[in-house]
Amino acid sequence: MKGATVRSRKKIKVKGFAFDAGSGIETVHFSADGGATWRNAELGKDLGRYSFRMWEASFSPPVDDVYSLQVKAVAKSGETQLSDASQNWNPKGYLRNVIETVKVTAVSSI
């Protein structure tokens, strides 16, 4: 959840849904450091074209800090989300397809 406070040094489950324009989701990448490094998330069952695909990743914040969590879906067609929203910005927000960032704060005690 955006702006959440979590325990440092504790395994946190992060999950969501990915979708694309119809070729299907090939993989989902997860980053806990603002996109500096990425690793594959675990994918749920592929329910076919145009369906949402569940993904899940674990995250263990090593120290008290603010972490920038990001997820990037890659379609079977090779399409992926852009890192810069200005590359496909439009006034009404149609077809917005960028990597979003959710910041969470890790603390020793809540």
Side-chain angles (χ1 to χ4, degrees):
M1 174 187 291
K2 185 177 185 177
T5 300
V6 299
R7 294 280 309 260
S8 56
R9 295 173 292 285
K10 181 179 180 196
K11 189 178 203 178
I12 308 297
K13 188 183 293 188
V14 182
K15 58 185 175 178
F17 292 93
F19 62 94
D20 73 318
S23 67
I25 297 296
E26 179 70 28
T27 189
V28 172
H29 302 291
F30 173 77
S31 174
D33 56 13
T37 61
W38 297 91
R39 61 184 172 88
N40 287 345
E42 184 178 323
L43 291 178
K45 185 175 180 182
D46 186 349
L47 299 174
R49 294 182 64 187
Y50 304 107
S51 64
F52 290 83
R53 184 125 186 227
M54 189 169 180
W55 60 265
E56 185 176 295
S58 60
F59 162 60
S60 298
V63 297
D64 294 4
D65 204 349
V66 176
Y67 293 86
S68 297
L69 308 183
Q70 296 182 323
V71 178
K72 176 172 54 176
V74 180
K76 291 179 181 175
S77 66
E79 292 177 291
T80 190
Q81 292 160 292
L82 303 170
S83 58
D84 181 4
S86 68
Q87 294 174 329
N88 74 342
W89 183 87
N90 62 79
K92 297 200 185 253
Y94 295 125
L95 302 174
R96 180 177 168 84
N97 187 25
V98 298
I99 299 168
E100 301 290 349
T101 301
V102 174
K103 293 192 182 235
V104 298
T105 302
V107 295
S108 299
S109 62
I110 296 178

